[in-house]
Amino acid sequence: MAQQATLRAEARQHTGKGAARALRRAGKIPAVIYGHNRAAEAVQVDAPALGRLLAGLKSASTLLDVTIGSGQPVKALLREIQRDPLRPSDILHLDLYEVRADEKISLNIAVKLVGTPEGVRTHGGVLDQVLYSLEVRCFPGDIPESIEVNVDALGIGQSIHVSDLKVAKVDILTDAGQTVCVVAAPRTEETPAGEAAATAEPELIRKPKAEEAEAGE
């Protein structure tokens, strides 16, 4: 089950780029909360408190208890965190998605490979991870922090597909035919360009004299 955390927010009266910049200068982050058939509500959160919260999160699927003003806490997921492209540590905006305990939701969960494949241990193979997340559907209380995939038994050329995975209380929505990971054969070193040139057959630039004579006729 995913970890849970708390976040306090306050309703905000003004929206738009100018109001958002003013909020950030005051140490606040503009945000919006929506979902569960509710109209989107503009809120603001304390920037330092949000920074501490994000630093302690283990996964993006963390369920939050969000309290808006003096209201009752609601369950929500972090749907999107918008950051400054030039200063990624600066958060520009936050999207929160309210959920209900008795309603299933769809979200992406990280895939974590566990173990060392037999083909890597004994034959020098290379483990390639193809999928790094899976789309799943489940109740909020059943959200896993990650989906662990054991790869110990994989030999050279063997792979694991989405159809091979079973996660308790979770419906996997990602295409069952997609490859999660594969153990490839050892990669051979490429011959340096200089060596290839030295061993290559020299190109014939001049024609033999007999051919030159024929060409001149």
Side-chain angles (χ1 to χ4, degrees), residues 98-111:
E98 182 185 353
V99 300
R100 293 294 177 94
D102 59 348
E103 293 182 1
K104 287 187 175 183
I105 56 173
S106 299
L107 70 164
N108 291 319
I109 301 295
V111 173

Side-chain angles (χ1 to χ4, degrees), residues 58-59 77 83 98 114 134 152 160-161 188 207:
K58 296 179 181 178
S59 73
L77 289 168
R83 298 180 181 272
E98 182 185 353
V114 179
L134 295 175
D152 282 330
I160 293 177
H161 296 84
T188 57
K207 298 179 181 180

Side-chain angles (χ1 to χ4, degrees), residues 65-79:
D65 283 321
V66 180
T67 301
I68 303 173
S70 58
Q72 293 296 314
V74 298
K75 300 290 186 183
L77 289 168
L78 284 172
R79 271 300 195 209

Side-chain angles (χ1 to χ4, degrees), residues 48-63:
L50 178 62
R52 292 191 295 271
L53 170 70
L54 296 179
L57 296 185
K58 296 179 181 178
S59 73
S61 59
T62 298
L63 201 59

